mmCIF file of all heavy atoms in Angstrom:
data_model
loop_
_atom_site.group_PDB
_atom_site.id
_atom_site.type_symbol
_atom_site.label_atom_id
_atom_site.label_comp_id
_atom_site.label_asym_id
_atom_site.label_seq_id
_atom_site.Cartn_x
_atom_site.Cartn_y
_atom_site.Cartn_z
ATOM 1 N N SER A 753 3.095 -44.082 -13.746
ATOM 2 C CA SER A 753 3.966 -45.258 -13.865
ATOM 3 C C SER A 753 3.163 -46.553 -13.706
ATOM 4 O O SER A 753 3.588 -47.654 -14.109
ATOM 5 C CB SER A 753 5.137 -45.237 -12.890
ATOM 6 O OG SER A 753 6.008 -44.211 -13.207
ATOM 7 N N LYS A 754 1.978 -46.431 -13.062
ATOM 8 C CA LYS A 754 1.114 -47.616 -12.926
ATOM 9 C C LYS A 754 0.427 -47.989 -14.201
ATOM 10 O O LYS A 754 -0.036 -49.094 -14.379
ATOM 11 C CB LYS A 754 0.072 -47.346 -11.826
ATOM 12 C CG LYS A 754 0.679 -47.117 -10.479
ATOM 13 C CD LYS A 754 -0.405 -46.676 -9.473
ATOM 14 C CE LYS A 754 0.224 -46.396 -8.117
ATOM 15 N NZ LYS A 754 -0.801 -45.886 -7.120
ATOM 16 N N GLU A 755 0.394 -47.026 -15.190
ATOM 17 C CA GLU A 755 -0.324 -47.245 -16.423
ATOM 18 C C GLU A 755 0.645 -47.379 -17.593
ATOM 19 O O GLU A 755 0.295 -48.047 -18.603
ATOM 20 C CB GLU A 755 -1.285 -46.123 -16.666
ATOM 21 C CG GLU A 755 -2.249 -45.866 -15.493
ATOM 22 C CD GLU A 755 -3.029 -44.594 -15.648
ATOM 23 O OE1 GLU A 755 -3.175 -44.071 -16.787
ATOM 24 O OE2 GLU A 755 -3.565 -44.076 -14.619
ATOM 25 N N VAL A 756 1.808 -46.689 -17.550
ATOM 26 C CA VAL A 756 2.760 -46.745 -18.658
ATOM 27 C C VAL A 756 4.134 -46.962 -18.046
ATOM 28 O O VAL A 756 4.308 -47.024 -16.794
ATOM 29 C CB VAL A 756 2.712 -45.478 -19.507
ATOM 30 C CG1 VAL A 756 1.407 -45.288 -20.206
ATOM 31 C CG2 VAL A 756 3.080 -44.258 -18.634
ATOM 32 N N SER A 757 5.141 -47.094 -18.903
ATOM 33 C CA SER A 757 6.506 -47.272 -18.404
ATOM 34 C C SER A 757 6.984 -45.983 -17.678
ATOM 35 O O SER A 757 6.514 -44.939 -17.896
ATOM 36 C CB SER A 757 7.451 -47.584 -19.572
ATOM 37 O OG SER A 757 7.586 -46.445 -20.391
ATOM 38 N N SER A 758 7.980 -46.191 -16.828
ATOM 39 C CA SER A 758 8.504 -45.060 -16.037
ATOM 40 C C SER A 758 9.080 -44.011 -16.974
ATOM 41 O O SER A 758 8.882 -42.822 -16.719
ATOM 42 C CB SER A 758 9.569 -45.541 -15.078
ATOM 43 O OG SER A 758 9.106 -46.488 -14.201
ATOM 44 N N GLU A 759 9.754 -44.398 -18.058
ATOM 45 C CA GLU A 759 10.306 -43.473 -18.972
ATOM 46 C C GLU A 759 9.206 -42.655 -19.641
ATOM 47 O O GLU A 759 9.306 -41.392 -19.822
ATOM 48 C CB GLU A 759 11.107 -44.202 -20.029
ATOM 49 C CG GLU A 759 11.847 -43.255 -20.961
ATOM 50 C CD GLU A 759 12.658 -43.975 -22.026
ATOM 51 O OE1 GLU A 759 12.855 -45.209 -21.851
ATOM 52 O OE2 GLU A 759 13.179 -43.339 -22.972
ATOM 53 N N ARG A 760 8.113 -43.365 -20.041
ATOM 54 C CA ARG A 760 7.004 -42.666 -20.699
ATOM 55 C C ARG A 760 6.302 -41.712 -19.717
ATOM 56 O O ARG A 760 5.911 -40.571 -19.999
ATOM 57 C CB ARG A 760 5.990 -43.689 -21.221
ATOM 58 C CG ARG A 760 4.742 -43.117 -21.829
ATOM 59 C CD ARG A 760 4.993 -42.243 -23.052
ATOM 60 N NE ARG A 760 3.814 -41.687 -23.617
ATOM 61 C CZ ARG A 760 3.643 -40.511 -24.155
ATOM 62 N NH1 ARG A 760 4.729 -39.764 -24.265
ATOM 63 N NH2 ARG A 760 2.500 -40.098 -24.666
ATOM 64 N N ALA A 761 6.183 -42.153 -18.449
ATOM 65 C CA ALA A 761 5.580 -41.315 -17.389
ATOM 66 C C ALA A 761 6.354 -40.023 -17.190
ATOM 67 O O ALA A 761 5.806 -38.929 -17.080
ATOM 68 C CB ALA A 761 5.475 -42.085 -16.114
ATOM 69 N N GLU A 762 7.657 -40.161 -17.216
ATOM 70 C CA GLU A 762 8.474 -38.943 -17.057
ATOM 71 C C GLU A 762 8.341 -38.011 -18.223
ATOM 72 O O GLU A 762 8.298 -36.790 -18.033
ATOM 73 C CB GLU A 762 9.963 -39.382 -16.937
ATOM 74 C CG GLU A 762 10.334 -40.033 -15.606
ATOM 75 C CD GLU A 762 11.785 -40.448 -15.537
ATOM 76 O OE1 GLU A 762 12.560 -39.996 -16.432
ATOM 77 O OE2 GLU A 762 12.145 -41.193 -14.645
ATOM 78 N N GLN A 763 8.166 -38.522 -19.453
ATOM 79 C CA GLN A 763 7.966 -37.664 -20.609
ATOM 80 C C GLN A 763 6.613 -36.941 -20.533
ATOM 81 O O GLN A 763 6.520 -35.765 -20.832
ATOM 82 C CB GLN A 763 8.064 -38.528 -21.884
ATOM 83 C CG GLN A 763 9.426 -39.092 -22.221
ATOM 84 C CD GLN A 763 9.415 -40.063 -23.367
ATOM 85 O OE1 GLN A 763 8.340 -40.445 -23.841
ATOM 86 N NE2 GLN A 763 10.528 -40.480 -23.807
ATOM 87 N N ILE A 764 5.602 -37.655 -20.109
ATOM 88 C CA ILE A 764 4.267 -37.098 -19.961
ATOM 89 C C ILE A 764 4.288 -35.931 -18.973
ATOM 90 O O ILE A 764 3.774 -34.805 -19.194
ATOM 91 C CB ILE A 764 3.222 -38.149 -19.549
ATOM 92 C CG1 ILE A 764 3.019 -39.200 -20.688
ATOM 93 C CG2 ILE A 764 1.877 -37.512 -19.134
ATOM 94 C CD1 ILE A 764 2.224 -40.345 -20.246
ATOM 95 N N VAL A 765 4.906 -36.160 -17.825
ATOM 96 C CA VAL A 765 4.940 -35.132 -16.725
ATOM 97 C C VAL A 765 5.791 -33.988 -17.193
ATOM 98 O O VAL A 765 5.434 -32.811 -16.931
ATOM 99 C CB VAL A 765 5.474 -35.788 -15.425
ATOM 100 C CG1 VAL A 765 5.646 -34.672 -14.381
ATOM 101 C CG2 VAL A 765 4.459 -36.848 -14.942
ATOM 102 N N ALA A 766 6.911 -34.228 -17.903
ATOM 103 C CA ALA A 766 7.791 -33.183 -18.295
ATOM 104 C C ALA A 766 7.109 -32.281 -19.282
ATOM 105 O O ALA A 766 7.178 -31.020 -19.217
ATOM 106 C CB ALA A 766 9.062 -33.744 -18.988
ATOM 107 N N LYS A 767 6.254 -32.842 -20.228
ATOM 108 C CA LYS A 767 5.513 -32.020 -21.206
ATOM 109 C C LYS A 767 4.426 -31.239 -20.481
ATOM 110 O O LYS A 767 4.200 -30.058 -20.788
ATOM 111 C CB LYS A 767 4.939 -32.947 -22.262
ATOM 112 C CG LYS A 767 4.230 -32.126 -23.353
ATOM 113 C CD LYS A 767 3.832 -32.972 -24.537
ATOM 114 C CE LYS A 767 3.187 -32.138 -25.647
ATOM 115 N NZ LYS A 767 2.782 -32.922 -26.791
ATOM 116 N N PHE A 768 3.751 -31.888 -19.502
ATOM 117 C CA PHE A 768 2.660 -31.189 -18.802
ATOM 118 C C PHE A 768 3.215 -30.011 -18.027
ATOM 119 O O PHE A 768 2.689 -28.954 -18.015
ATOM 120 C CB PHE A 768 1.981 -32.165 -17.894
ATOM 121 C CG PHE A 768 0.824 -31.532 -17.103
ATOM 122 C CD1 PHE A 768 -0.347 -31.158 -17.735
ATOM 123 C CD2 PHE A 768 0.915 -31.367 -15.728
ATOM 124 C CE1 PHE A 768 -1.366 -30.569 -17.040
ATOM 125 C CE2 PHE A 768 -0.095 -30.776 -15.008
ATOM 126 C CZ PHE A 768 -1.240 -30.411 -15.656
ATOM 127 N N PHE A 769 4.383 -30.241 -17.365
ATOM 128 C CA PHE A 769 4.986 -29.214 -16.619
ATOM 129 C C PHE A 769 5.454 -28.004 -17.508
ATOM 130 O O PHE A 769 5.227 -26.862 -17.158
ATOM 131 C CB PHE A 769 6.219 -29.709 -15.844
ATOM 132 C CG PHE A 769 7.054 -28.713 -15.163
ATOM 133 C CD1 PHE A 769 6.516 -28.070 -14.027
ATOM 134 C CD2 PHE A 769 8.315 -28.268 -15.601
ATOM 135 C CE1 PHE A 769 7.203 -27.056 -13.340
ATOM 136 C CE2 PHE A 769 9.011 -27.280 -14.948
ATOM 137 C CZ PHE A 769 8.441 -26.657 -13.812
#
Side-chain angles (χ1 to χ4, degrees):
S753 293
K754 296 175 183 177
E755 304 169 22
V756 296
S757 67
S758 297
E759 185 179 349
R760 175 64 180 145
E762 287 179 13
Q763 291 173 351
I764 291 169
V765 173
K767 185 172 183 180
F768 182 69
F769 175 69

